[in-house]
Structures are given as C-alpha cells and as structure tokens.
Amino acid sequence: MGLTGIFLITFLIVHMGINACMWAAVYFPDDHGEMFNKAANFMGSMVLIRIIEVGLFLFIFLHIIQGYMLTVYNRSKRAVGYAVDYGSKGSKWYSRSMGLLGTLILLFLIIHWLHFWIPSRFTGVEEVEYSGVKMHNMFALMQTTFQQLWVVILYVLGCISLGYHLAHGFQSAFKTLGVHNKRYQIMLSGLGYGFSIVVPFVFAMMPISMYLGWVK
Amino acid sequence: MEHYNMSLNLKVWRQNNSRDKGYFEDYKVDGISSEMSFLEMFDVLNERLITEGKEPIAFDHDCREGICGMCSMYINGKPHGPWKSNTVCQLHMRAYKDGDTIVVEPWRANAFPVIKDLMVDRSAFDRIVQAGGYISVNTGNAVDGNSMPIEKDKADASFAAAMCIGCGACVAACKNSSAMLFLSAKVAHLALLPQGEPERKKRVVSMVAQMDKEGFGACTNTGACEATCPKDISLSNIARLNQEYLIASLTADK
Ligand code: HEM
Ligand code: SF4
Ligand code: FES
C-alpha cells in the first residue's frame, strides 16, 4: 500500500502540473487553452509517458485490490464486536475510513475516466490546430463537461475525499516503509497535511473556475 | 482528595466458556469507597456473589501494581479505563461518581478468545515472543555493565520499548485487532542494543510470521494503540519494526 500510494502521489503532482496549465488562459487573453492542450498533447505523445501510463494503471489497480483485501482481512479479525465503541481516542476518523474514502475516489475516478480519458484515447475528441499541428482540444472538452453543476459538485466531492485519503495516506506510507527518525516524521507529517490540502484544492479549483467562467 | 462512598450500576460481560455466546448482566454495587481500586470493587462484588451462592465474575489480575500486564478490562469503550498511561489495577474509584453506569467487556479479538467472563486467552503473545523475542547466544558470566558502551539515546529508547507489559490493550483498542505495537516494542528493545544484534534479522522475520499466524490484523497506522497503552509505547516503534522487517526480509540468509 505504501509503495503504490507514494507512486500515485507522485502521479498527482505531475497531473496537477499539467492541468494547472489551463490557468494560462487567465493570464494570456488569447491563450484559450492552447498551453493546456499542448501540455496534454506533449504528455500523450511521449512514448515514455505511454509506458508509465501502463504502470500507472497497474499501480492504481494494485492499490485498489490491496486496499480492499486489507480492509476485508482486518474486518475479519474481530468476530464479536464491542458494545461501547472505542471511538476516536488517538485516531482520526479519516484514518479509520480509508476503505470508504478510497471507494469514493474510485467512483469519482470511473466518472472522471468516462469524461476525459476514454474520449481522448478511444472515442475521439474534437481537434484544434496550433501552427500546423493537430491535437485534441481537451480544453474545450473540459469547458463543456464543467458546464453542468452536478459534475462540478461531484469533482469537488471527489477532491475532498482525495484530501482526507491523503491526509492519512501520505504519512502512513512513509511509516509503512520504515521512516522512524523523529525529525523526518515531523517533516513528513507537515508535508503530508500541506500536500493533502493544496493538491485537492488546486484540482477542485479547475472545474470551479471553468463553471464560473474565470477561464475561457 | 476527599473520601466518598458511591453506588454504581455495572454492566458486566458474562460468558461461561469460549463456545458460549455470552451476555451482559446488570449489577448494582453499594458502599464503594473512592479509595478502592477498580479490581477491589470487583472483589467486593464477587464476595457478595459467592455469599449469594452465585458464580463470581472471572477476571485476570496478578501484581495489582501495573507491572505484570494480566489485568485486562475494556471499560466504557477504553481498555484499562479512562485514565491515561494506566492499567485497570491502578485505576481508582475516584475516577467515578455516585450513580455512574460502567460497562465492562473483555478484550475483543479473534486472536484473544474469551476463556470465561472478562478473561481472555493471550497465549498468542507468548508464542510470538517464543518465536524470537529472546537472546539465545551464549553470553558467559555476567560482565561489568560498563564494559559494553551503549549510547544514552539508544539505551533510553530501548528501555522505553522494554516497558511493554504484554497486556494486549493495543490489540483491544485497534480497529484492525493488530498486535503491531506489542510486537514493535518487543523487537525494538532488542534491535537497539548490541546484545540483540546476533539474531536481529531472524528474530523480526519469525516474530512477524508468528503474529500473522495467530490471526491478528494488519497495522494501518491509525494510532489508537498508542493512546490506550498503559506504558506509553510509542507508535514510532512500529515504523522502526517496519524498517527492521523490510531490511531483514530482503537480506536475511533464509
Ligand atoms: C478536478 C480535478 C481534475 C481535473 C480537472 C482532471 C482532468 C483530467 C483530464 C483533462 C485528463 C485527461 C488528460 C489526457 O489524457 O489528455 C485526466 C486524466 C486522468 N486523471 Fe484527472 N483530473 C482531475 C483530478 C484527478 C484526480 C484527483 C485523480 C486521482 C488520482 C485523477 C486521475 C486521473 C487519471 C488516472 C487520468 C488518466 C491519465 C492518463 O492519461 O493515463 N485526476 N484528468
Ligand atoms: S504495547 Fe502497551 S498496550 Fe500493547 S501489550 Fe505492550 S503495554 Fe500493553
Ligand atoms: S494486575 Fe498486574 S498490571 Fe494490572
């Protein structure tokens, strides 16, 4: 769980970086998503990225399977429960709800794939041309997708789930890998909370800023 | 502190044997002194049950001074009761006031089957220690303590881990019924010292294997164990155990 989790965390950084290019349209009035499309196209056309993509799917799959196996395994270890629950003494609700949070993220991911990945890879996306080079207009696809309020709400909820998942997962991954040095543990837990607030926030701002028309 | 007497409503788990289904029984106890320990309150109740010709409540205890790890009651949702860094035997009735209702359950985990009432079988812990929590190399006669220099930090960390009394509260509190806090304490206190070095890798690999075999769950670093441990065993011992295990399983000879 730790290894696959850390891999997915690095993926999130790259993913966020590429997507953040959409805000170029805010600063350069005649960008209209050009920078974002080029960045997405650049990622999509690199052989190396395609290879990593296979690995990414493998890791997502592994992470999910392992996650459910772990949840079921651990649930099975206390056949008779307590009358009075131990509750949240010493642990956070999100630390105890990783299976549930993971499921919410998975549901979000499926819808997210249907929105972007499937069209981009299989069913086709409208194209644009920049100085003679044709590419998918992912920017336009995002604009149309994020016109619907329910989609925006769903993405924001997805991001919140991701935030809480990471708030526990980030630190936990390093503990699982054996980091026990006090200074590093303090540093990593700070970094973990920062990451799990900033990254989902930046992601959540994408559909919001499209819906509100900040990005055109 | 002012002394006072109180009456209490107890809800106690009763179960004849490991195959029995078990049930809660209500007891009203009167004239309980605020200076009694929690176990003494049970002694008073048991004396009464015996004179009434009823079966007394079975519960584990031995030293009654917080060092043996035998006492094990899950009280109102917390192993060892409400006080921090404390065992049930060291819990005093001044923690309660007149008229309180107290629910007392045994440790719950498949690896700790109930023997009777509040008594559970914790021999799984013994078997984990037997799997490697010792030093078997010949050490000869006792040598002068100062002949083996050990850094203060390491000695302190090892001593803190060696405080574990094997009570099992960590398992009882953990939503995964994981024994990792216990095991990490047992592994860490030896791994930190030169005496533990010779069997370091073999020890951690076989103790983890035994723990899995006993049917404890897997650790997900929630931190519930650390909050309930009477000896304040630190969660960072678990990260240390993970490191020990990772290195040992990659590099051990077999
Ligand atoms: C709300 C913020 C998000 C937006 C706007 C967004 C947008 C996009 C877009 C436009 C693509 C298609 C890129 C392309 O293939 O050309 C994509 C792909 C993807 N996104 Fe997101 N995304 C968001 C959040 C997330 C989150 C939180 C995850 C969770 C891990 C995630 C996982 C993925 C995956 C796995 C792909 C497929 C990547 C690939 O091509 O292999 N996304 N996203
Ligand atoms: S780690 Fe703490 S709670 Fe667990 S067995 Fe040792 S003393 Fe008891
Ligand atoms: S009876 Fe020995 S620790 Fe409580």
Side-chain angles (χ1 to χ4, degrees), chain A residues 74 76 78-79 82-83 168 172, chain B residues 105 108 110 171-172 174 218 220-221:
Chain A
N74 282 342
S76 73
R78 181 170 289 143
Y82 290 112
H168 175 77
S172 179
Chain B
E105 303 175 67
R108 298 283 190 200
N110 296 1
V171 176
C174 175
T220 58
N221 298 316

Side-chain angles (χ1 to χ4, degrees), chain A residues 8 11-12 15 18-19 22 36-37 40-41 43-44 49-50 52-54 56-57 60 105 108-109 112-113 115-118 120-121 136 138-139 141-142 146 155-156 158-159 162 199-200 202-208:
Chain A
L8 294 180
F11 158 72
L12 278 181
H15 189 339
I18 301 291
N19 286 28
M22 65 179 269
F36 173 77
N37 281 337
N41 185 56
M43 293 299 279
I49 293 295
R50 286 298 163 218
I52 296 177
E53 184 179 0
V54 176
L56 174 65
F57 272 95
I60 291 180
I105 296 174
F108 162 77
L109 265 186
H112 181 53
W113 280 326
H115 278 152
F116 299 107
W117 187 73
I118 303 275
S120 149
R121 190 47 53 77
H136 284 165
M138 294 305 290
F139 187 78
L141 180 60
M142 274 169 80
F146 295 142
Y155 270 63
V156 171
C159 291
L162 178 70
V199 171
V202 172
F203 273 125
M205 284 318 285
M206 294 171 190
I208 291 176

Side-chain angles (χ1 to χ4, degrees), chain A residues 32-61:
Chain A
H32 301 302
E34 182 174 339
M35 190 157 156
F36 173 77
N37 281 337
K38 282 184 174 165
N41 185 56
F42 169 71
M43 293 299 279
S45 53
M46 260 202 309
V47 179
L48 181 66
I49 293 295
R50 286 298 163 218
I51 296 171
I52 296 177
E53 184 179 0
V54 176
L56 174 65
F57 272 95
L58 198 77
F59 269 65
I60 291 180
F61 184 72

Side-chain angles (χ1 to χ4, degrees), chain B residues 125 163-170 181-182 185 229-231 233:
Chain B
F125 270 13
M163 292 280 282
C164 168
I165 53 176
C167 64
C170 43
L181 193 65
F182 161 78
C229 174
K231 298 296 161 187
I233 302 296

Side-chain angles (χ1 to χ4, degrees), chain A residues 70 73-74 76-86 89-92 95-97 168 172 175-180 185, chain B residues 24 74 77 79 105-106 108 110 171-172 174-177 215-218 220-224 227-228 239-240 242-243:
Chain A
L70 183 67
Y73 179 82
N74 282 342
S76 73
K77 298 300 178 192
R78 181 170 289 143
V80 183
Y82 290 112
V84 186
D85 215 43
Y86 182 74
K89 300 172 199 84
S91 70
K92 299 277 193 295
S95 298
R96 285 175 277 123
S97 317
H168 175 77
S172 179
K175 287 179 185 157
T176 303
L177 294 181
V179 179
H180 59 75
Q185 272 191 347
Chain B
F24 277 105
Y74 182 93
E105 303 175 67
R108 298 283 190 200
N110 296 1
V171 176
C174 175
K175 77 166 181 67
N176 308 321
S177 308
F216 293 102
T220 58
N221 298 316
T222 68
T228 209
R240 183 184 290 281
N242 287 331
Q243 180 212 33

Side-chain angles (χ1 to χ4, degrees), chain B residues 86-130:
Chain B
N86 194 62
T87 54
V88 207
C89 58
Q90 297 276 285
L91 172 64
H92 284 74
M93 294 315 292
R94 58 177 179 273
Y96 299 94
K97 45 183 203 317
D98 193 40
D100 276 356
T101 297
I102 309 174
V103 183
V104 189
E105 303 175 67
W107 284 180
R108 298 283 190 200
N110 296 1
F112 288 162
V114 173
I115 299 171
K116 189 172 164 60
D117 301 336
L118 301 173
M119 218 178 213
V120 296
D121 180 357
R122 282 169 287 176
S123 55
F125 270 13
D126 300 337
R127 289 187 293 273
I128 293 174
V129 172
Q130 280 160 11

